[in-house]
Amino acid sequence: MVAHKSHFWCIIAGGTLVGNTSSLSVSNLPSHCHLLNTQPRTTSPTFHDQTQLWANENENENDDGGNTIQMPVRSDPVVLLSSSDENTQKLGIAAIVGGLTAGTFVSGQILNYLEVVLPTSLYDPFYTVLPVIVGTLISAAGVAHFAIEDTFTSLVPPRGTWGGLWQVPAPGAEQLGLTYEQYHSYWTGIAEIGGGILLIMGRFGFIVPSIQIPAALLFLLVAAVTPANTYMFTHDPDVPRIPPLPYPWGHAARGTLQVLLLAVFWKWANMP
């Protein structure tokens, strides 16, 4: 109890001194206020590397059990294509489009080769089972456009992206009360829901005679949304609920899945 009273009077003494700055001195405080730091405090500006700050933020995220969760470190903005000049960005996009096109062609040839060398019993699920799985996943992704809207609107490249190369309009968005990002997220979500359902219907011959037409439509749709994935690679935006992908290999894996999906739809659209 005595100790508590002693600390109380130390606080009163300190408050009195603050009110009289001319007498602000450690010597004016009672001698028993030994808990006060008598060393002068100095400050100096500290400059931090932005990437290191991101790393520290990621390392400090904890789960409910108090354990540290190691999150991927966001890439240094200097290495992103978006930090380059306009001409370099345009050339980079041309190279990315060329790489995706070449990758889709090569993947298609691999599928053709596998169809020839594999027994029919092993390759048949490609035409019978996989369309149902892909159709379900595509439709679920379309629903997610509305269920977690801010995640998908964050993926839409703003107009003027890539040195002014991206100039896709959003006709009627203002009349509908939608932002540019909402407009493109909504129509692609609706298209994914419809395309997935049509693919499943085509697999069973229900109204749609085969998977060929739905696959052709989905090929065009995936090609149309490829700029969103490209935007993630070139700008590494902060996307709600999606941690940053390891740069560049995480994006390379995503690009590989993209070309495989395009090749699969191309194969189904041109099935015998």
Side-chain angles (χ1 to χ4, degrees), residues 84-87 89-90 93 160-167 235:
S84 304
D85 60 82
E86 292 186 358
N87 289 332
Q89 290 188 52
K90 292 176 182 178
I93 292 301
T161 302
W162 303 311
L165 194 62
W166 181 255
Q167 295 294 343
H235 288 69

Side-chain angles (χ1 to χ4, degrees), residues 22 70 97 191 219 263:
S22 61
Q70 296 297 331
V97 172
F219 177 88

Side-chain angles (χ1 to χ4, degrees), residues 229-261:
N229 296 325
T230 304
Y231 178 65
M232 288 192 69
F233 170 68
T234 59
H235 288 69
D236 195 24
D238 185 15
V239 180
R241 302 176 191 85
I242 298 181
L245 293 175
Y247 193 90
W249 301 114
H251 293 277
R254 186 185 182 97
T256 301
L257 291 176
Q258 186 87 6
V259 299
L260 286 175
L261 190 58

Side-chain angles (χ1 to χ4, degrees), residues 33-54:
C33 296
H34 59 278
L35 295 177
L36 295 175
N37 184 6
T38 59
Q39 297 298 323
R41 183 178 180 182
T42 59
T43 58
S44 59
T46 304
F47 300 95
H48 299 279
D49 176 72
Q50 191 174 17
T51 305
Q52 186 62 39
L53 285 177
W54 284 330

Side-chain angles (χ1 to χ4, degrees), residues 54-234:
W54 284 330
N56 291 339
E57 289 176 0
N58 291 332
E59 290 172 358
N60 288 334
E61 294 188 16
N62 297 327
D63 59 17
D64 293 337
N67 299 318
T68 300
I69 302 174
Q70 296 297 331
M71 300 293 289
V73 178
R74 190 174 295 281
S75 54
D76 188 340
V78 175
V79 305
L80 299 176
L81 182 63
S82 58
S83 65
S84 304
D85 60 82
E86 292 186 358
N87 289 332
T88 302
Q89 290 188 52
K90 292 176 182 178
L91 290 174
I93 292 301
I96 291 172
V97 172
L100 292 174
T101 302
T104 301
F105 175 79
V106 172
S107 299
Q109 295 304 309
I110 293 175
L111 291 176
N112 290 336
Y113 174 77
L114 291 176
E115 187 173 19
V116 172
V117 300
L118 291 178
T120 302
S121 59
L122 290 179
Y123 201 82
D124 271 354
F126 178 80
Y127 292 112
T128 58
V129 178
L130 192 58
V132 178
I133 296 174
V134 173
T136 302
L137 293 176
I138 290 287
S139 294
V143 172
H145 279 242
F146 301 91
I148 47 176
E149 176 187 325
D150 55 344
T151 297
F152 287 88
T153 54
S154 300
L155 302 177
V156 178
R159 293 192 72 169
T161 302
W162 303 311
L165 194 62
W166 181 255
Q167 295 294 343
V168 176
E174 186 175 350
Q175 290 78 359
L176 294 171
L178 301 176
T179 65
Y180 180 83
E181 291 77 15
Q182 287 175 323
Y183 181 90
H184 287 290
S185 178
Y186 287 177
W187 80 257
T188 52
I190 293 172
E192 286 174 0
I193 295 172
I197 293 174
L198 286 176
L199 187 65
I200 297 173
M201 292 170 62
R203 160 62 186 91
F204 295 105
F206 178 70
I207 301 177
V208 183
S210 73
I211 64 173
Q212 286 181 290
I213 293 178
L217 295 175
L218 286 171
F219 177 88
L220 295 176
L221 177 60
V222 172
V225 301
T226 296
N229 296 325
T230 304
Y231 178 65
M232 288 192 69
F233 170 68
T234 59

